[in-house]
Amino acid sequence: MSILWQFLLAFSCAALSALGMGGGGLLLLYLAAYEGMAQQSAQGINLVFFIPIALVAVLIHAKKGLIRADVALRCILPGVCGVVIGWMLAMRIETQLLSKLFGGFLLIVGVREMFSRAK
């Protein structure tokens, strides 16, 4: 890969991140579009990277007193259930359809972000 291509790729990723698309979304796009990885595998790798990053974020936010334990505890069980159900669905959906659904989801979120007003 040429230096110019690497620069353009890094610039594009930075621009997308600045617009609100998180690193996990970029990682998924990169693995699926540029590395040709199956959507399910790319999502699995994304989750492996997400877990330690999320733990560090929770520790930092907790140290700053930004996490309400009562709200967090009410969210944990539904969150875990959602992950398990989502994983089971992703394993049953054909890779091409899953990629299209994910792309549609990113498009909807992007359009919503572009036209939403700051609170």
Side-chain angles (χ1 to χ4, degrees), residues 3 7 14 18 37 39 49 56 70-71 79 84 88 98 100 104 110-112 116:
I3 301 236
F7 173 80
M37 187 175 286
Q39 184 77 19
F49 278 94
V56 170
D70 59 325
V71 174
V84 171
M88 290 178 0
L98 187 61
K100 289 177 184 177
V111 169
R112 183 175 172 259
S116 67

Side-chain angles (χ1 to χ4, degrees), residues 16-107:
L16 287 171
S17 290
L19 292 172
M21 183 173 191
L26 293 175
L27 179 62
L28 275 170
L29 288 173
Y30 171 75
L31 291 174
Y34 293 105
E35 295 297 325
M37 187 175 286
Q39 184 77 19
Q40 291 93 336
S41 298
Q43 285 177 244
I45 289 172
N46 185 44
L47 287 174
V48 168
F49 278 94
F50 174 77
I51 291 169
I53 293 167
L55 289 174
V56 170
V58 166
L59 291 173
I60 290 170
H61 289 353
K63 185 176 179 180
K64 292 181 178 182
L66 299 174
I67 296 178
R68 288 185 37 200
D70 59 325
V71 174
L73 290 174
R74 286 193 310 245
C75 293
I76 290 172
L77 182 60
V80 170
C81 290
V83 167
V84 171
I85 291 169
W87 169 73
M88 290 178 0
L89 286 172
M91 291 295 105
R92 288 177 169 64
I93 297 174
E94 182 183 325
T95 300
Q96 289 181 339
L97 176 60
L98 187 61
S99 294
K100 289 177 184 177
L101 290 171
F102 180 68
F105 170 74
L106 288 179
L107 184 63

